[in-house]
């Protein structure tokens, strides 16, 4: 098993309101050694009347298949 920061799994799905804070979370993950996995996705949240975003990231050493 690969060693990740804070002993996390090698795959993470970051989600949240599509705003600057979400972009900063993704940027922070990249700075920590995570890398993007696939394309981001967005969806309208009717309950909260806002756009929600998701981006998968994998640990930089992980050998994953797309």
């Amino acid at each position: 098993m690969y060693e990740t920061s804070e002993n996390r799994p090698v795959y993470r799905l970051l989600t949240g309101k599509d705003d600057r804070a979400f972009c900063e979370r993704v940027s922070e993950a990249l700075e920590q050694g995570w890398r993007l996995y696939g394309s981001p996705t967005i969806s309208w949240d009717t309950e909260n009347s806002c756009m929600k975003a998701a981006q998968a990231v994998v640990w930089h050493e992980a050998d994953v298949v797309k």
Side-chain angles (χ1 to χ4, degrees):
M1 185 89 179
Y2 298 100
E3 291 294 320
T4 63
S5 60
E6 300 175 18
N7 200 26
R8 295 181 180 179
V10 296
Y11 172 88
R12 294 171 59 194
L13 181 63
L14 304 173
T15 61
K17 185 177 177 181
D18 185 24
D19 59 7
R20 182 182 177 101
F22 176 77
C23 294
E24 288 174 352
R25 287 180 53 220
V26 174
S27 295
E28 181 181 334
L30 296 175
E31 290 171 6
Q32 292 173 350
W34 298 86
R35 59 186 166 97
L36 300 177
Y37 183 76
S39 299
T41 186
I42 58 172
S43 180
W44 182 252
D45 180 348
T46 55
E47 187 174 317
N48 295 301
S49 297
C50 66
M51 195 65 78
K52 294 286 178 92
Q55 174 64 60
V57 294
V58 292
W59 188 240
H60 69 95
E61 297 175 343
D63 185 20
V64 293
V65 177
K66 284 189 179 184

